[in-house]
Amino acid sequence: MVATVLRLRYRILGNMLARSPWQLVGFVFGAMGAAGALAFAAFALVLIGASGLEAVRGVVTVGGALLVVGWCIAPLVAGGVDTTVGPEQLAPFPLTTRQVMLALAVVGLAGIPGIATSLGALSALLAWGRWPIALALAVVCLPLGVLTCVVASRTVASFSRRSGGRIGNAMALLAFTALVLAGPIVTGLLGVVSGGTGPASAERLAAVVEGVSWTPVGAVWGVPGELAAGRVGTGLLKLGIGLATLAALWLLWRRNVRAASVTPPRRVVAGRRGRLGWFGLAPTGAVGASWARATRYWLTDPRYLRNLLIVALLPALVAFAFGGRVEGTPFAFVVVLPALLLGLVPYADVSYDGTAFASVLATGIRGRADRAGRLLGAATAAVPLLVIVAVVTVGLSGRWELLPAVLGCALGAELAGLGICAVSSAHLVIPVPAAGDNIFKRVPGQSFWVGIALMGFTLLAAALVSPALVLAVLAALQGSALWSWLALAAGLVVGAGVAAAGVAIGGRAFDRTGPELLARIRTTSGY
Amino acid sequence: MPTPPVASVPALALTGLVKRFGQKTAVDGIDLVVPTGSFYGLVGPNGAGKTTTLSMATGLLRPDAGTASVHGVDVWADPVAAKRMIGNLADGVRLFDRLTGEQLITYTGMLFSLPREEVAVRTADLLRLMDLGEAAGTPVADYSAGMTKKVALACALVHAPRLLVLDEPFESVDPVSAANIEDVLRSYTGSGGTVIVSSHSMDLVQRMCDHVAIVSAGRVLVAGTVDEVRAGATLQDRFLELVGGRTRSEGPAWLRQS
């Protein structure tokens, strides 16, 4: 039975690779990357084996813990490890829950990440080679560790697929935030650990290893080292923690698999009536309706929301790169680049509608109204955020007199970008994840030329808003409030002008290209 | 040539519609005249080109050749004017399903520039008609297939179009709602509105429609009033006779239980 499911998994992979040569290329590169990492890991482990028991124990424990954490995050950010074969798909077949879980675990082990992890764990045997007791225990503990990886990943995936993917998307956004901030967090932690003098830092490092080896994700990896060092009691205790972790994950996963096989993945909660939201505020008419819809999607759909999140997080990253020294002119302008990028987010906005675009097209909406509604919706979401971020960052930089200039550049760039998008999205359709899909789902078929076009749009937006940029630089150099206010005026005038021109030009194009856009959505996204 | 009197202008006239997808010809020269006030059924096997034809008739898919006109307005020359008159329930497309049912109907009404109070009244009526009152505040993404169909139908009706184009409107809709919707559509055609509906249910078409066209492999095999088309037999029998491909067998031996 397990073999049948495994064959099914490989058949799906084979069909997918046969259909798209680019995915095959990606697959080959992935496999080569995994092989390279493996060779390196094995080599490093042998070297470390020569440098003493404590070193091996530390590296295997921390490395193993990172592996487990990585396997937990992967289903959130990589669109699911093997979601092609999940409990929902196996539910109609006469299999017990245990058989389903067994099959899924084996499928997880037999993919490239699973094989790589297994081989990597095996290579840890090389490192333990000099301590027979450790080697004997590693034969038991390393497979347990690998199994923990696979089961943990399946458990996280089973949670993320509940409630029609909405919880999953919330978790994915959280994981994404954590990833964006991973650099500062890790460096911060390392700073805490290694701050101070030599011997003290080594001690702290040892403390970190000790701490990790007591956590559920690290315990099982540390067991061989404890016994080799003669600490039998500690070793058995950690083995207990590891086994308990695996058991707890298995039980949680079993609960979700059972739930998935009896209840269809649909949540029916009767929401209250009469909550029109933006539709109650916008004026009636094609522009108002499109505006309300676009705003609603910008503020609730993770595919859009993610971009707003980046704008809020990017200044924090820059502040970190500056080493926390945020006073002064450069940091005052930190919001301008994210504003430029945010303005260009909807450069193929119609793609995000999916085939729901048919319901827009069927109403015979004028291109101008559609463009204006989308532009206003994006601006409604972006402008308040940009103003807040600008005020906070300029405040932190201590150069309040530059606030008008910064606002001019940021809002000018955002509006100019949206104006460009009003034209480009009447022509371009790109493959994007469907509404409700995991936002990190890789969608094949992103074309090289679209990337070039996007780069061109970025340069164009920057060029259009350059009058405001020049005035802002003058304001910063001369410390003059007059230049600063002029920069604001220039930014707003340019932004509004480009936006209006974009709506007019894009609207005319849209009147012509509407049916072709729908046809391309059907062929590129197919949903 | 004298212009024909207004009454004789058909609600929907298709002439020589052709659509190719690569090598495959999905619609191969379809002519169809849907008289004003008729309840017109469009039936055909899977892949006959029904959805493609209706997409071209409603301005969603540009035909390779041929014309479509709604009440005398060419759909592809003046799409805005033509689409104002059409209520379209397309098959196999998503909705903006992050919106609640109530928001989606309101949104569609606003797109057609109905006054705000009018939108509110019509939305409430449609929610009641479709028996969606309970789910009005639930995102459409959480609806069942039948509920999704009903809310899409409500969106097609909200601007009181002169021509309703319904692609598979009763698929997965429960019998009670289907009967209610049927009543509404009947009184709509009685008052001068026109409905063209594609369906796989011969019984339903025979009962509801006054006209029917059978299409297969991108062509109209026969079209006319239901009585003309079925010529004494049931529509089901006539359909099978015209389309062919029926196999008379008891099925494989291993499937038989005794």
Side-chain angles (χ1 to χ4, degrees), chain A residues 166 266-277 279-286 288-290 293 296-297 300-302 353 355-366 434-436 512 515-516 518 522 527, chain B residues 55 58-62 76 79-80 83-84 86 88 90-100 102-103 106-116 119 123-124 127 133-134 136-139 141-145:
Chain A
R166 246 180 309 252
R266 176 175 295 126
R267 185 192 63 152
V268 182
V269 176
R272 261 206 305 130
R273 199 171 160 165
R275 280 203 195 135
L276 286 178
F279 297 93
L281 293 173
T284 187
S290 305
R293 188 200 76 224
R296 160 93 192 172
Y297 267 74
T300 54
D301 186 337
D353 294 0
T355 47
F357 178 62
S359 68
V360 175
L361 193 61
T363 60
I365 189 172
R366 299 248 177 217
R512 222 175 40 243
E516 277 64 43
L518 180 62
R522 283 185 196 277
Y527 64 85
Chain B
S55 294
T58 51
L60 294 182
L61 181 68
R62 204 184 291 279
W76 289 96
V80 175
K83 286 171 180 174
R84 298 251 132 206
I86 305 174
N88 187 10
D91 189 40
V93 303
R94 287 173 76 107
L95 299 168
F96 286 102
D97 55 15
R98 297 246 146 197
L99 311 185
T100 67
E102 191 180 17
Q103 287 173 339
T106 306
Y107 158 72
T108 313
M110 287 165 70
L111 268 181
F112 284 101
S113 303
L114 299 177
R116 182 160 280 295
V119 173
T123 303
L127 286 171
E134 293 267 303
T138 308
D142 292 337
Y143 281 14
S144 67

Side-chain angles (χ1 to χ4, degrees), chain A residues 265-363:
Chain A
R266 176 175 295 126
R267 185 192 63 152
V268 182
V269 176
R272 261 206 305 130
R273 199 171 160 165
R275 280 203 195 135
L276 286 178
W278 294 95
F279 297 93
L281 293 173
T284 187
V287 178
S290 305
W291 176 13
R293 188 200 76 224
T295 310
R296 160 93 192 172
Y297 267 74
W298 268 93
L299 294 178
T300 54
D301 186 337
R303 296 174 302 166
Y304 289 104
L305 214 48
R306 168 169 67 146
N307 299 297
L308 297 176
L309 201 63
I310 292 179
V311 173
L313 292 178
L314 210 59
L317 277 183
V318 174
F320 166 77
F322 281 15
R325 287 179 292 279
V326 294
E327 300 83 9
T329 312
F331 191 73
F333 285 96
V334 74
V335 70
V336 177
L337 184 64
L340 182 69
L341 300 180
L342 186 61
L344 291 167
V345 164
Y347 74 99
D349 199 36
V350 172
S351 321
Y352 290 93
D353 294 0
T355 47
F357 178 62
S359 68
V360 175
L361 193 61
T363 60

Side-chain angles (χ1 to χ4, degrees), chain B residues 31-82:
Chain B
D31 299 290
L32 209 61
V33 174
V34 179
T36 300
S38 65
F39 205 133
Y40 208 107
L42 192 60
V43 296
N46 291 331
K50 300 187 295 291
T51 297
T52 309
T53 303
L54 293 181
S55 294
M56 290 190 286
T58 51
L60 294 182
L61 181 68
R62 204 184 291 279
D64 293 335
T67 59
S69 61
V70 174
H71 288 290
V73 177
D74 188 326
V75 173
W76 289 96
D78 190 357
V80 175

Side-chain angles (χ1 to χ4, degrees), chain B residues 4-244:
Chain B
V6 177
S8 75
V9 172
L12 178 67
L14 309 178
T15 45
L17 277 185
V18 175
K19 186 72 196 178
R20 290 181 206 88
F21 296 111
Q23 297 293 314
K24 189 179 179 298
T25 303
V27 172
D28 192 8
I30 280 193
D31 299 290
L32 209 61
V33 174
V34 179
T36 300
S38 65
F39 205 133
Y40 208 107
L42 192 60
V43 296
N46 291 331
K50 300 187 295 291
T51 297
T52 309
T53 303
L54 293 181
S55 294
M56 290 190 286
T58 51
L60 294 182
L61 181 68
R62 204 184 291 279
D64 293 335
T67 59
S69 61
V70 174
H71 288 290
V73 177
D74 188 326
V75 173
W76 289 96
D78 190 357
V80 175
K83 286 171 180 174
R84 298 251 132 206
M85 295 187 277
I86 305 174
N88 187 10
L89 170 67
D91 189 40
V93 303
R94 287 173 76 107
L95 299 168
F96 286 102
D97 55 15
R98 297 246 146 197
L99 311 185
T100 67
E102 191 180 17
Q103 287 173 339
L104 189 64
I105 302 172
T106 306
Y107 158 72
T108 313
M110 287 165 70
L111 268 181
F112 284 101
S113 303
L114 299 177
R116 182 160 280 295
E117 311 78 54
E118 190 61 34
V119 173
V121 172
R122 291 188 186 186
T123 303
D125 285 346
L126 286 167
L127 286 171
R128 193 162 351 98
L129 169 67
M130 300 295 168
D131 193 24
L132 288 171
E134 293 267 303
T138 308
V140 174
D142 292 337
Y143 281 14
S144 67
M147 289 160 80
T148 310
K149 206 60 150 180
K150 287 196 284 181
V151 82
L153 186 55
C155 290
L157 292 171
V158 68
H159 63 293
R162 292 174 68 187
L163 168 67
L164 265 177
V165 181
L166 310 177
D167 199 352
E168 293 288 352
F170 294 108
E171 203 177 42
S172 30
V173 171
D174 65 279
V176 177
S177 295
N180 290 345
I181 295 166
E182 204 182 315
D183 286 348
V184 172
L185 293 181
R186 237 187 259 287
S187 94
Y188 169 78
T189 50
S191 69
T194 311
V195 178
I196 177 165
V197 52
S198 86
S199 178
H200 284 299
S201 165
M202 296 301 144
D203 294 343
L204 186 130
V205 170
Q206 185 172 343
R207 191 180 71 235
M208 270 184 15
C209 299
D210 43 45
H211 290 65
V212 65
I214 300 178
V215 294
S216 179
R219 291 175 167 281
V220 177
L221 298 182
V222 60
T225 66
V226 172
D227 289 335
E228 281 167 19
V229 169
R230 66 194 180 98
T234 65
L235 191 58
Q236 169 92 1
D237 287 341
R238 188 83 175 105
F239 179 88
L240 295 176
E241 179 192 324
L242 282 168
V243 172

